Amino acid sequence: MAEKRDYYEVLGLKKGASIEEVKKAYKDLAKKFHPDVSKESNAEERFKEILEAYSVLSNPQKKENYDRFGHAAEGFQGQGFSGFNRGFDFDFSDLFSGAFGGFEGTPFEGIFGEAFGGRRRGPSTGRNLRVDLNVSFEEAAFGTEKEISLQRLAPCDECNGFGGKGEETCGQCGGSGMLRHERRTPFGLFATQTPCNKCNGSGRTFRDRCKACAGKGSVRKKSNVKVKIPAGINSGNHLRLNGLGEAGENGGGPGDLFVVIFVQSHEIFRRDGSDVFCEVPVSFSEAALGAHVDVPTLKGNVSLKVPEGTQSGTIFRLRDKGIKNLEDAGFGDEFVKVIVQTPDRLSKKQRELFEKMSKEEATQKKRKGLFGKIMEKFK
C-alpha cells in the first residue's frame, strides 16, 4: 500500500499552517481539481487526497493530533477518513460563493448555479425560434410575402399569460422559489437547491390556478405568421421577427423568430451577389455577320447587339439588369455569355456554302503557318 503524503504537502502548505490558511488552500485546490470542473487527468484522485487532508487539518482537534503524531493519529482519533465511504459535511455553496462572490458571471455559474444558487427565478425571456424558408429565384429577386406555420409557446388566452387568479406566496418554498435538499454522495453530504416544482421557481402561486395552462401562463399553439421577403434577399440571409418566438416565463417577454432564407436555383440564371449570369446561343452567321438577338432578363427579353466577328465565349454586360442590392438599393448587372453553336446536321445547300467559305477562310493558312514554325524548332 502506498504511503500517504503529508497533509500539509498535499495542500501546498508549510507544517503548522493555520486553519485559515488550510481553508484558503483547500478552496483554491478544490476549484482546480474538482472532478466536475477539472480537465486534469488525475482530478478525481487528487481531489480525494485534497479532501482527506482538509477534513483533518480544518478540524482543530484532528489538526492538533496530526501535528503531534502525524498519520499515526488516525488510529486513536476514531474519525479517520478512508476514501469516500464516510460522509463529509461540507457545503460547496460556501466554497464557491465565497471564492467568487456569487455564481453570476463566473465560470461556475452554469455548473453550480442551479445546485447551490439560493436566489428565486425571476422573469426570463422566451426561447428564440428558427424556421428555414425556401423561396424561388424570382421571389428573392423581386420580394414577396409568405405565410409560415409553426408550433410555439404562446401566452394563455384563458388567463392572459398570468397563470391564474389570486396570486400569493408559494407555501411550499416560502416565496424563495427554491427547495433545499440534502443527500449523501461519494463526495460527502451535499446540500443542494432546486427550483420549486409548485411555483416553477417564481415563488408565487395562485389560489385559482388556470386549468388551461396548469398555471404556467403559456400553452403550445399552432401559429400562422406572414413574412415579408425583401427584394434582393439571398441564401443564408435571415429575417428577425421580434416577439414572435416562444412566450417568456414569470412575466418575461417573448423570444424572437428567425427566418433563414434559402433561394432555389434557376434554369436560366445564375446569381453572384446582385449580379446575374446567363448563356445565350448564337449561330455561325450571327456571330460572323453580326446581329441583334433577344436575350432574357429578369424583367423580360431585351435586344442585344452582337457585333460581327464575335467569338464564342464573349461576355456582354447589361447594366442595371441584375438584382436589387439590399444595402444601397441599387441594382446589379446582367452578364450574357454568347455561345456560338456548330450545326451538327447540314443540308446540301449549307454544305456547299461552308465548302466555298472554307476556301476563302484565312484560319487554315494561319494554322499551317503556326505548325510550320513549331516543326522548324524540332529540325
Side-chain angles (χ1 to χ4, degrees), residues 152-157 159-163 210 212-221 246-250:
R152 63 187 178 118
L153 285 176
C156 176
D157 294 331
C159 63
N160 294 320
F162 289 104
C210 177
C213 66
K216 295 180 179 179
S218 60
V219 293
R220 190 161 294 279
K221 294 180 180 180
E246 293 195 334
E249 296 182 359
N250 304 322

Side-chain angles (χ1 to χ4, degrees), residues 257-268:
L257 173 63
F258 290 84
V259 181
V260 182
I261 302 298
F262 292 90
V263 181
Q264 297 172 337
S265 58
H266 196 276
E267 60 180 354
I268 296 176

Side-chain angles (χ1 to χ4, degrees), residues 120 167-170 173 175 177 198-206:
R120 58 176 285 186
E167 187 178 10
E168 58 186 8
T169 301
C170 176
C173 66
K198 185 175 181 180
C199 64
N200 294 321
S202 67
R204 311 291 292 175
T205 56
F206 301 94

Side-chain angles (χ1 to χ4, degrees), residues 315-379:
I315 296 176
F316 296 91
R317 181 177 185 176
L318 302 178
R319 292 189 178 276
D320 299 328
K321 296 297 183 182
I323 295 174
K324 186 177 180 180
N325 191 308
L326 283 174
E327 297 181 358
D328 59 17
F331 285 83
D333 301 325
E334 179 175 336
F335 294 87
V336 181
K337 184 177 182 178
V338 297
I339 305 298
V340 179
Q341 289 192 326
T342 303
D344 52 1
R345 293 183 181 179
L346 297 175
S347 65
K348 183 179 180 180
K349 186 174 183 180
Q350 285 176 324
R351 181 174 291 279
E352 291 176 353
L353 291 173
F354 273 109
E355 288 176 349
K356 290 181 180 180
M357 185 173 63
S358 178
K359 295 178 181 179
E360 300 294 329
E361 286 180 340
T363 303
Q364 294 183 24
K365 295 179 181 179
K366 289 182 180 179
R367 188 166 58 244
K368 288 179 180 179
L370 177 62
F371 289 159
K373 291 179 181 179
I374 294 174
M375 294 305 294
E376 287 179 359
K377 292 183 180 182
F378 289 96
K379 289 181 179 180

Side-chain angles (χ1 to χ4, degrees), residues 154-203:
C156 176
D157 294 331
E158 294 294 325
C159 63
N160 294 320
F162 289 104
K165 298 179 180 179
E167 187 178 10
E168 58 186 8
T169 301
C170 176
Q172 181 167 283
C173 66
S176 68
M178 306 295 291
L179 296 177
R180 182 180 177 85
H181 308 276
E182 291 187 357
R183 60 191 180 97
R184 291 190 178 276
T185 73
F187 297 108
L189 183 64
F190 272 68
T192 63
Q193 297 188 50
T194 57
C196 176
N197 58 349
K198 185 175 181 180
C199 64
N200 294 321
S202 67

